[in-house]
Amino acid sequence: MAGMSSHPGSAADPTGGTGSPGAAGPPDRSAGARGQRPVWSRDFALFFVARAMARLGDTMLPVALAAGLLQHGYGVGAVGLAMASTVAAFAGLVVFGGVIADRFDTRKLMIGADLVRLGTQTLAAVLFYSGHVVLWEICAIGFANGIAGAVFQPGVASTVPRLASDIQGANGAIRIAESAAQLGGPAAAGLLVGFASPGGVFAAHAATYAVSALCLLLLRLPPLTPDSEPTEHRGSAFRADLVEGWREFRSRTWLWGVIAIWCVYMIAVWGPSVPLVATEVVQQHGPRAYGLVNSALGAGTVVGGLLALRLRPRRMLRAGAVSLFLFAGFPAAVGAGLGVPALAVGAAVAGAGMSFWGVMWATSVQTQVPSDVLNRIHAYDVAGSLAMMPVGQALAGPAASALGADQVLLVAGAVSLAIPVALLAVPAIRDLVRADAPKAGSGLRAAPERECPQPG
């Protein structure tokens, strides 16, 4: 989610393998094939810090938007639109970002995207400090951030396999870093809002992008293998690369199956929950309570990341789908009007389930997909996962006005239970075997199963 850390990756691999006409199967990313690289190294530590700092800022942003816009007379609909502007730009353009990432130096692209967001969030801080807060301007800044994120995100998927041989371990460590940031980010944002102003949160957010850009600048990535060098050297057309990425994406039933189900999740659960939970908790309990609840969510995701470091299920998506049942209690607890302690518990349990799912999903994508198309596949994954999120966010206000925010959140909790049922009902998702799973009765690694290409 599988994600925007809520895209399915924020999403493992069911029964199908990977193939499209004429495509090579998933690369052998075992330690023996690539040479053993420990998870912890100087370069992985830099990437680890970059991801943690970026996540720290991102978890502060909902507090700043909710408190800041409410403070200037806007309602829940405005908060939803402001959040949706970023996601809409991101989801709409990340596919093109994936093609660009497969053509050019991903590290330079990520540094440039961080510098753009450093500028936009600095501008937002100035607007809130000056008291000149106009909704369309805040939405425009969010849209620019979404474009920068669309350029940044595809490179994340291909960077992890280049830094560590144990891809699941690396993903688990990064998940823990992001979770630890989520643990402190909302609480820090609540304090900044309470004792300073929303402008201070935006200034802090801008600083996190500066640190991320610096870490990426110092990062030294190992050279690419000949088959995964940027396609700018192959002379292929941009449109042809886009079409190839789509063909590779649709040839994997487990991949597009998860994304299709996730579209429902975005509309009915995550999309409305983000703005409604923020506004409901801030209005009923104050921004500091919202920071506490989000910190509990972060603590839960740390636990989920730790579990993902230790548990190595043979069928990763099946295990991940089961863990998603844990998310349902969070929106339902807010919708039921429970107290802050109950909300914190619900958030912690939800975070653990979502975090475990995220590691299972990200690892499956990175190990089942050939490296030369991984950025594009990841971009289609993210785009499909988040495509419906702005719809859910934009509809949050009207739905809350018609039914009541509490009823919308209760429905979201019910749909959260139906989503993992749907995932487990699809054989391609339920039965996908991890790429490095040993064959039964032998010490050999199993080759990933391959699906038949889709017609056409």
Side-chain angles (χ1 to χ4, degrees):
M1 228 205 56
M4 169 126 85
S5 184
S6 59
H7 82 313
S10 198
D13 230 345
T15 48
T18 71
S20 64
D28 182 1
R29 293 196 175 108
S30 66
R34 298 177 301 142
Q36 184 65 38
R37 292 194 304 277
V39 169
W40 287 106
S41 64
R42 170 195 175 274
D43 293 312
F44 182 77
L46 286 169
F47 189 67
F48 179 91
V49 172
R51 299 307 304 143
M53 292 304 297
R55 185 60 181 158
L56 178 67
D58 290 344
T59 57
M60 297 169 71
L61 188 58
V63 181
L65 283 174
L69 291 175
L70 290 173
Q71 187 180 93
H72 285 82
Y74 294 100
V76 60
V79 176
L81 286 173
M83 293 181 178
S85 63
T86 300
V87 180
F90 180 84
L93 298 174
V94 70
V95 169
F96 301 99
V99 176
I100 293 171
D102 274 332
R103 285 173 165 258
F104 301 103
D105 187 319
T106 55
R107 185 179 69 94
K108 292 179 180 178
L109 290 173
M110 290 190 287
I111 292 170
D114 274 343
L115 293 177
V116 168
R117 290 181 287 188
L118 168 61
T120 57
Q121 295 308 89
T122 299
L123 175 59
V126 170
L127 294 178
F128 276 94
Y129 270 129
S130 66
H132 179 78
V133 178
V134 180
L135 182 60
W136 76 264
E137 293 176 347
I138 302 303
C139 289
I141 289 173
F143 193 84
N145 287 337
I147 295 174
V151 174
F152 183 101
Q153 185 62 36
V156 173
S158 61
T159 298
V160 173
R162 292 174 67 184
L163 291 175
S165 298
D166 182 2
I167 298 176
Q168 182 177 334
N171 282 318
I174 291 172
R175 181 67 56 169
I176 292 171
E178 294 175 341
S179 302
Q182 185 166 339
L183 191 60
L191 290 174
L192 283 171
V193 169
F195 293 105
S197 73
V201 184
F202 284 99
H205 192 193
T208 64
Y209 286 124
V211 174
S212 175
L214 178 61
C215 289
L216 294 172
L217 183 64
L218 297 173
L219 183 66
R220 293 194 301 265
L221 288 173
L224 291 166
T225 56
D227 68 333
S228 60
E229 290 181 354
T231 56
E232 61 174 335
H233 303 301
R234 302 179 194 169
S236 57
F238 188 94
R239 183 177 181 276
D241 286 348
L242 198 64
V243 171
E244 180 188 15
W246 170 249
R247 185 167 57 246
E248 292 283 347
F249 173 80
R250 71 172 188 158
S251 70
R252 296 164 170 82
T253 302
W254 61 268
L255 184 56
W256 63 257
V258 168
I259 301 308
I261 294 171
W262 218 257
C263 286
V264 178
Y265 185 88
M266 289 292 104
I267 294 176
V269 182
W270 195 268
S273 291
V274 172
L276 291 181
V277 166
T279 52
E280 285 293 292
V281 176
V282 169
Q283 288 177 339
Q284 295 179 16
H285 306 286
R288 296 183 195 178
Y290 181 65
L292 175 63
V293 169
N294 269 280
S295 293
L297 184 67
T301 55
V302 169
V303 173
L306 289 171
L307 288 173
L309 281 175
R310 296 186 61 85
L311 301 180
R312 306 279 170 148
R314 179 177 173 83
R315 290 176 172 81
M316 301 177 75
L317 287 185
R318 178 185 298 183
V322 171
S323 73
L324 284 177
F325 281 107
L326 301 177
F327 186 81
F330 184 35
V334 179
L338 302 182
V340 174
L343 297 183
V345 171
V349 172
M354 187 61 70
S355 179
F356 187 81
W357 161 260
V359 174
M360 297 298 104
W361 173 255
T363 302
S364 295
V365 173
Q366 291 163 3
T367 55
Q368 297 281 346
V369 174
S371 58
D372 59 333
V373 294
L374 179 55
N375 290 324
R376 276 168 285 172
I377 290 291
H378 180 60
Y380 275 108
D381 157 27
V382 175
S385 303
L386 296 179
M388 295 295 106
M389 184 174 178
V391 177
Q393 289 180 324
L395 292 176
S401 298
L403 303 175
D406 55 345
Q407 294 300 314
V408 175
L409 289 171
L410 289 173
V411 170
V415 176
S416 293
L417 294 175
I419 292 300
V421 172
L423 291 171
L424 293 169
V426 179
I429 298 172
R430 181 181 68 239
D431 298 330
L432 181 67
V433 176
R434 62 185 301 139
D436 60 354
K439 290 180 178 179
S442 78
L444 301 176
R445 294 184 182 276
E449 301 171 21
R450 297 176 61 88
E451 294 177 3
C452 296
Q454 299 289 327

